[in-house]
Amino acid sequence: MNNNKNLYAKLIPVMLCFFAMGFVDLVGIASNYVKADLDLTDSQANVFPSLVFFWFLIFSVPTGILMNKIGRKKTVLLSLMVTFASLLIPIFGDGYTLMLISFSLLGIGNALMQTSLNPLLSNIIAGEKLASTLTFGQFVKAIASFLAPYIAMWGAMQAVPTFGLGWRVLFPVYMVIAVFAIVWLGLTPIEEERPDKASGFKACFSLLGKPFILLSFIGIMCHVGIDVGTNTTAPKILMERLDMTLAEAGFATSLYFIFRTVGCFLGAFILQKASAKSFFALSVVCMLLAMVGLFIFHSETIIYICIALIGFGNSNVFSIIFSQALFALPEKKNEVSGLMIMGLFGGTVFPLAMGVAGDAMGQSGAVAVMTVGVVYLLMYTLKIKN
């Protein structure tokens, strides 16, 4: 009983950090509001989510090296402090430069957090339960993700803008939670395994020479590209095809995250019973059917069903790929984590490509870009171990 209490005492503050990890997904709905406020084009607005995930390319591998020096818990605390700063800035306005700075810091903080928090969890949960616990962490993260559009919508619809912020009330709400996470994790003792042998950039990047690690890296790029792409494009599809307002279409983003949350919750249990390979295959097929549906149909109901299928299908992809990569090289957890999180750079590549395709061909062009990622994940399924 005491062991269980001790486990939960460590696990709960870590899960609060997973909730804080979900703050990065506010960029999807926020970029739509900034686009409306500043009258931007698709390409200009998509710079914001692209900028957030650009920093994963720069900071993920250095964070893996940093963890070897200061430890995983201290790295998570540093990431929360950077996240706090990113959420403070928009309180002072939503000018283009301010939002660029805010989203940059949000991306840097999230790169630090995602690189260090996942391996920190492996100090609490080990073995076969790691994949399902990572999925539960993604479930907690998804709660923050799907709440963001509702909080922004609530702020935007107030007759008198809340604290003069309107939709930006989202930022101080999440900022307060970040403070709780910093304090709680800081007071929680977590025994870390001895750091991996100190390694440099060359040693980290050399791991991409291992075929399965490279395939997993690209898989993470596709996962987050589909995630950020759906987050930002779902409302635009409804606005383009059904002439909805942004406030009405914003529900599509929430719907995506609701089903991602449900998928993560169910996945935490399913992965304890079913093989990772079969569940991964089912998840990717759900997304493929959804992409076909978004190409063919213009019905509001079917579009919502497709968005829900993408949310459910994409919910467990990250956890399975990440855990497969860690199991492939267990003696290099920090370095592998850095490389896998660097793959979140896909959140930069996909929105930029989708913005260009969307301006040229409408939102069907953006869907086509995401479909490329889904097809790759279908091929990756063949490489997963049962």
Side-chain angles (χ1 to χ4, degrees):
M1 182 66 73
N2 285 334
N3 285 338
N4 283 339
K5 284 184 179 179
N6 189 40
L7 174 64
Y8 290 128
K10 295 176 181 178
L11 200 55
I12 293 172
V14 169
M15 286 299 149
L16 183 60
C17 294
F18 270 99
F19 186 88
M21 188 191 289
F23 296 170
V24 74
D25 290 319
L26 65 82
V27 68
I29 193 65
S31 64
N32 281 302
Y33 276 106
V34 175
K35 178 188 175 185
D37 288 350
L38 303 181
D39 195 25
L40 305 175
T41 66
D42 265 0
S43 297
Q44 291 171 326
N46 279 15
V47 166
F48 291 112
S50 294
L51 183 64
V52 167
F53 289 94
F54 167 76
W55 299 107
F56 286 90
L57 178 66
I58 305 298
F59 281 93
S60 298
V61 170
T63 302
I65 296 169
L66 177 67
M67 282 192 292
N68 285 335
K69 295 183 178 179
I70 68 172
R72 296 165 185 170
K73 177 182 165 182
K74 288 182 180 177
T75 308
V76 173
L77 289 171
L78 174 63
S79 74
L80 288 166
M81 292 173 191
V82 176
T83 300
F84 168 82
S86 75
L87 297 169
L88 178 65
I89 291 171
I91 294 174
F92 301 102
D94 67 343
Y96 198 78
T97 302
L98 273 180
M99 297 310 292
L100 284 175
I101 295 170
S102 171
F103 287 163
S104 290
L105 287 174
L106 185 63
I108 292 168
N110 211 259
L112 293 168
M113 194 183 307
Q114 297 223 35
T115 306
S116 53
L117 187 57
N118 291 301
L120 179 65
L121 182 61
S122 72
N123 289 124
I124 302 171
I125 304 292
E128 294 180 355
K129 291 185 178 180
L130 180 60
S132 61
T133 310
L134 279 171
T135 290
F136 187 77
Q138 292 298 307
F139 160 68
V140 174
K141 173 181 178 286
I143 295 174
S145 301
F146 89 75
L147 283 177
Y150 281 114
I151 299 172
M153 197 186 311
W154 173 78
M157 293 176 70
Q158 298 303 301
V160 178
T162 314
F163 306 114
L165 295 173
W167 68 269
R168 287 179 292 121
V169 73
L170 171 65
F171 292 93
V173 169
Y174 278 175
M175 185 179 70
V176 170
I177 297 172
V179 172
F180 276 110
I182 291 168
V183 173
W184 199 348
L185 183 64
L187 295 174
T188 303
I190 297 176
E191 253 185 68
E192 298 185 36
E193 60 198 41
R194 294 188 64 180
D196 299 345
K197 184 180 178 182
S199 56
F201 287 92
K202 185 177 179 181
C204 285
F205 283 109
S206 68
L207 297 180
L208 289 175
K210 298 183 180 297
F212 186 72
I213 298 299
L214 177 61
L215 291 172
S216 298
F217 171 79
I218 298 171
I220 294 287
M221 284 190 70
C222 292
H223 154 73
V224 75
I226 295 163
D227 184 59
V228 178
T230 306
N231 190 359
T232 55
T233 302
K236 295 175 188 175
I237 292 174
L238 291 166
M239 291 163 69
E240 177 186 87
R241 297 181 184 176
L242 300 170
D243 201 28
M244 287 187 177
T245 65
L246 176 56
E248 293 169 333
F251 171 70
T253 300
S254 289
L255 181 69
Y256 169 74
F257 284 117
I258 287 169
F259 275 85
R260 231 192 98 176
T261 304
V262 171
C264 287
F265 181 76
L266 294 175
F269 300 101
I270 293 171
L271 283 168
Q272 293 184 21
K273 305 291 183 181
S275 73
K277 187 170 187 173
S278 58
F279 189 47
F280 191 91
L282 174 65
S283 300
V284 177
V285 168
C286 285
M287 289 193 285
L288 190 59
L289 290 173
M291 295 299 166
V292 173
L294 290 177
F295 273 120
I296 297 174
F297 300 105
H298 286 233
S299 158
E300 180 180 348
T301 302
I302 294 180
I303 290 172
Y304 279 138
I305 290 171
C306 290
I307 292 167
L309 278 174
I310 299 171
F312 180 82
N314 209 26
S315 58
N316 296 283
V317 169
F318 175 85
S319 303
I320 293 173
I321 294 177
F322 192 91
S323 59
Q324 288 279 316
L326 287 185
F327 290 148
L329 286 174
E331 73 283 0
K332 294 284 185 181
K333 283 183 181 178
N334 287 354
E335 290 88 343
V336 169
S337 177
L339 286 172
M340 291 304 105
I341 300 305
M342 188 174 75
L344 296 181
F345 176 64
T348 293
V349 176
F350 274 70
L352 285 177
M354 290 168 67
V356 173
D359 285 339
M361 303 166 54
Q363 297 311 315
S364 291
V367 173
V369 174
M370 289 194 291
T371 304
V372 173
V374 176
V375 171
Y376 177 85
L377 291 175
L378 194 61
M379 295 167 58
Y380 178 82
T381 306
L382 302 174
K383 301 294 181 181
I384 295 177
K385 296 178 182 177
N386 287 319

